[in-house]
Amino acid sequence: MANAQTFERTEYQQVKADLHRRILDRLDLEKLGRTPGQAARDEVLLLIRNTVNSEAVPLSFAERERLAREILDEIFGLGPLEPLLKDPTVSDILVNRFDRVYVERAGKLEPTGLSFKDDAHLMQIIDRIVSRVGRRVDESSPMVDARLPDGSRVNAIIPPLAIDGPCLSIRRFGRDPITARNMIENKSLTEPMLELLSAMVKGRLNILISGGTGAGKTTLLNVLSGFIPNNERVVTIEDAAELQMKQEHVVRLETRPPNIEGKGAIRQRQLVINSLRMRPDRIVVGEVRGEEAFDMLQAMNTGHEGSLTTVHANSQRDALARLENMFSMASLNIPERAMRTQIASAIHGVVQIARMADGTRKVVGLSEVTGMEGDVIAMQEIFLFERQGIDESGKVRGAFRATGIRPSFSTRLATGGLRLRPALFDSRMEV
């Protein structure tokens, strides 16, 4: 006698697809559109259960209930991804192909065993995601960045660029944003480091957050933006909106890809230039990655101090080098020294955040940009994380330390009423 163990995945997917089609045929979609959200879900769930229970399929009651929930997710949500999106422990969802779905939990990747029916099913879910934010993905535009309603970042790439079928990556944002207190409890940074960073933000210093992919740059940017006073006007600029600003006076801008004719694209540089006409007190650029670096640095140097941004780089020194490279993308033929002088004048502090081998995120360096020494941008490290190896459980061992250097901008902060305690920079104490 057949049982759930012998009921193959392909047969299960086929039964689900057939039931899905049959239920859609029986639904009054026009009436459903006028029904409040939860009432509509309850009405459809009852219809699904009745239809599933009338089928002669070798499934237990629990598996029939699971099938009903999955079909409900197909109609109202994102299909097989719905249970992952409801799981607060999942930080990344990575669909390599329709039958290979991975997640990241606590910084570690693991397979899920979940599967879409086929490439067409996966494409249907991708289309549902990108259409909600007015974007598209097809053969003429096979790459797209989008976002989910909770702010989670989505990237999709499809054939012919993705050889094995459509590929989907979702960088999750939790329902409860990570706070400064959470970062201290997770040992991502320390109280003295946070005290200095909060004073830098309140004192309107320009901060560059640097790190690799998945290091936590945007999370740290969200935390630091929380120290911006509520009476200031903030303009945010992003490729895909994901910043979670806590202030009331915020204008959020987002780039736009080209239309089907390859026209109408709005790039970050255009938004940065436009933001200068919007009377911002601060400009927050989610990630600087191109010629907009020039206009952003210009803004920092001409009255829009206290701005924040992130950049992909492996160290504080590399971050400034990348800014220099992006500055040159503006094709303005500015001499190298002039570029470096402008960067040194605009950026006050560089924060380096990294993902450790055990999956934890830590602020591994906090440096001050002090100006120019000859043709080189001068920096001095204020705090750092000293790695000391890995313990028996695979956790990274190390300690946060102050270097003993008091930043030169502390005088500027003091004139604004933000006095830094001398003990913050005591190198004899582990922080």
Side-chain angles (χ1 to χ4, degrees), residues 230-241:
N230 204 39
N231 61 349
E232 294 188 15
R233 178 175 171 85
V234 182
V235 177
T236 69
I237 297 165
E238 302 172 82
D239 268 336

Side-chain angles (χ1 to χ4, degrees), residues 215-228:
K217 298 186 298 297
T218 303
T219 298
L220 181 58
L221 181 58
N222 275 321
V223 168
L224 295 187
S225 70
F227 297 114
I228 297 174

Side-chain angles (χ1 to χ4, degrees), residues 167-415:
C167 179
L168 180 67
S169 306
I170 300 177
R171 175 68 52 82
R172 291 289 312 285
F173 270 4
R175 289 184 179 87
D176 300 317
I178 290 178
T179 64
R181 181 52 50 191
N182 295 146
M183 294 195 76
I184 290 172
E185 290 168 354
N186 296 337
K187 298 182 179 177
S188 296
L189 45 63
T190 61
E191 291 272 11
M193 296 168 77
L194 184 64
E195 188 176 332
L196 176 60
L197 286 169
S198 66
M200 292 171 69
V201 174
K202 292 171 186 174
R204 301 183 64 84
L205 300 185
N206 298 318
I207 300 174
L208 178 65
I209 299 171
S210 165
T213 300
K217 298 186 298 297
T218 303
T219 298
L220 181 58
L221 181 58
N222 275 321
V223 168
L224 295 187
S225 70
F227 297 114
I228 297 174
N230 204 39
N231 61 349
E232 294 188 15
R233 178 175 171 85
V234 182
V235 177
T236 69
I237 297 165
E238 302 172 82
D239 268 336
E242 55 184 331
L243 292 173
Q244 298 168 306
M245 306 294 289
K246 303 171 185 66
Q247 291 75 14
E248 294 177 9
H249 203 167
V250 176
V251 178
R252 303 168 72 213
L253 305 180
E254 185 179 48
T255 61
R256 186 178 72 186
N259 61 21
I260 198 165
E261 298 170 347
K263 300 177 181 177
I266 303 296
R267 300 174 63 84
Q268 280 202 142
R269 185 177 188 187
Q270 294 166 272
L271 293 180
V272 172
I273 294 170
N274 187 79
S275 71
L276 300 177
R277 307 184 185 110
M278 299 172 68
R279 198 252 172 237
D281 288 307
R282 310 216 189 197
I283 299 171
V284 178
V285 180
E287 181 188 337
V288 61
R289 54 164 66 95
E291 68 271 17
E292 68 273 7
F294 169 76
D295 302 281
M296 183 193 71
L297 292 168
Q298 290 279 86
M300 289 177 173
N301 275 325
T302 55
H304 299 92
E305 295 175 321
S307 296
L308 305 165
T309 190
T310 73
V311 66
H312 273 80
N314 294 325
S315 70
Q316 298 99 302
R317 179 63 61 184
D318 287 348
L320 296 184
R322 280 216 66 210
L323 267 190
E324 190 178 328
N325 291 337
M326 290 185 281
F327 199 116
S328 63
M329 290 181 189
S331 302
L332 298 172
N333 296 319
I334 297 174
E336 203 171 74
R337 180 178 169 79
M339 281 195 289
R340 291 175 182 169
T341 300
Q342 185 151 333
I343 292 170
S345 175
I347 304 295
H348 298 104
V350 184
V351 185
Q352 185 70 29
I353 188 166
R355 180 165 60 173
M356 303 286 107
D358 59 1
T360 59
R361 277 85 169 172
K362 295 187 186 297
V363 174
V364 296
L366 199 170
S367 298
E368 177 191 15
V369 178
T370 57
M372 295 288 293
E373 289 183 2
D375 291 335
V376 179
I377 299 174
M379 301 175 71
Q380 57 184 14
E381 197 152 37
I382 311 301
F383 291 104
L384 72 154
F385 177 74
E386 291 183 342
R387 305 179 212 201
Q388 298 164 352
I390 297 177
D391 64 19
E392 300 76 19
S393 61
K395 294 290 184 183
V396 171
R397 292 191 298 112
F400 293 97
R401 294 188 182 277
T403 61
I405 298 172
R406 186 179 181 86
S408 56
F409 57 64
S410 58
T411 305
R412 171 175 166 172
L413 294 180
T415 59

